């Protein structure tokens, strides 16, 4: 446990160059090992791992064995930590994509139920139908006005998923342009320039990944506002605007992949760019245009719902 905790602590030194994703994966796994080990030690200290009487001895006290197994399981989790920054960032991006898919599926199922019928509130004066309507739980279904808002928000979630995918592709493009330098390079000036470019590319990838994190978190935040009944329409508009802004940041970074100077006195990197494939730039442009339309659709749907209230 001491070696594990020390090893993870070393990763947080800036000179190591471990990315935020890599540090997060390592820290989470290390915490699991230490916590499970503490529970194992505790069960022997308080005696719960040992049989207190003949009955427990006969029945078999497995608490110690269970806690030991938990420690080994946590150690196995350490082995599964991504090897390197690239693998860690890729896994985190894919995790956000999976979460986005789950959120989309949840609300797609709700939209597929269709809107509540207008007769669900007993306007015909039938007492039995009114009693049934009072008993019925309509919180899992949209009204005819809300379903249009939900559909537009769902389309924006699809743009978010596409943006995360294109961010992953953009990171792959940038990673392929990092040149592995060797000691055989004779031109020290050229070698130093390439080292600085490599660092600038890594810094760009880190900024893109941080922006993608905001999109992934925004999917969850937007989803929280989409549950029926939709009471806070202003909150929906606010969260849609936040999500649209987060998407725009990524699209601009990909379409204008300019390397920023690492230090104030650096000027050469300002005009350097990261070459993206045609597939990546075309996809980023399409999603940017689509997200603009989806935002307008949400605003129009909310405006229509406010007029009919």
């Amino acid at each position: 446990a001491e070696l594990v905790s020390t090893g993870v602590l070393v990763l947080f030194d800036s000179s190591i160059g471990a990315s935020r994703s890599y540090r997060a994966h390592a820290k989470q796994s290390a915490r699991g090992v230490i916590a499970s080990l503490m529970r194992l030690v505790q069960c022997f200290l308080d005696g719960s791992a040992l049989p207190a009487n003949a009955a427990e001895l006969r029945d078999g006290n497995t608490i110690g064995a269970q806690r030991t197994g938990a420690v080994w399981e946590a150690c196995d989790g350490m082995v599964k930590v991504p090897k390197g920054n690239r693998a860690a960032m890729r896994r985190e991006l894919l995790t956000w994509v999976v979460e986005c898919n789950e959120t989309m599926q949840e609300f797609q199922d709700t939209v597929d139920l269709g809107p509540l019928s207008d007769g669900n509130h007993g306007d015909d004066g039938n007492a039995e139908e009114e009693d049934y309507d009072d008993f019925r739980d309509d919180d899992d279904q949209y009204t005819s006005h809300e379903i249009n808002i939900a559909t537009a928000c769902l389309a924006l979630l699809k743009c978010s998923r596409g943006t995360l995918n294109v961010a992953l592709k953009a990171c792959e493009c940038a990673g392929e342009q990092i040149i592995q330098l060797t000691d055989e390079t004779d031109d020290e000036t050229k070698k130093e320039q390439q080292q600085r470019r490599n660092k600038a590319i890594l810094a760009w990838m880190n900024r893109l990944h941080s922006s993608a994190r905001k999109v992934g978190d925004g999917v969850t935040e937007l989803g929280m506002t989409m549950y029926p009944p939709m009471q806070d329409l202003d909150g929906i508009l606010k969260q849609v605007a936040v999500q649209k802004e987060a998407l725009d940041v990524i699209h601009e970074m990909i379409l204008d992949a300019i390397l920023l100077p690492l230090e104030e006195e650096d000027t050469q990197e300002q005009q350097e760019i990261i070459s993206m494939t045609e597939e990546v730039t075309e996809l980023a442009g399409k999603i940017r245009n689509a997200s603009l339309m989806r935002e307008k659709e949400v605003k129009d749907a909310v405006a229509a719902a406010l007029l009919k209230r």
Side-chain angles (χ1 to χ4, degrees), residues 47 50-61:
L50 304 174
N53 49 49
E56 286 192 7
L57 180 62
R58 182 178 62 254
D59 297 337
N61 186 342

Side-chain angles (χ1 to χ4, degrees), residues 182-194:
T182 64
D183 295 334
E184 298 176 359
T185 305
D186 296 330
D187 191 339
E188 291 298 328
T189 301
K190 184 177 180 181
K191 184 177 181 179
E192 182 180 354
Q193 291 177 348
Q194 189 56 54

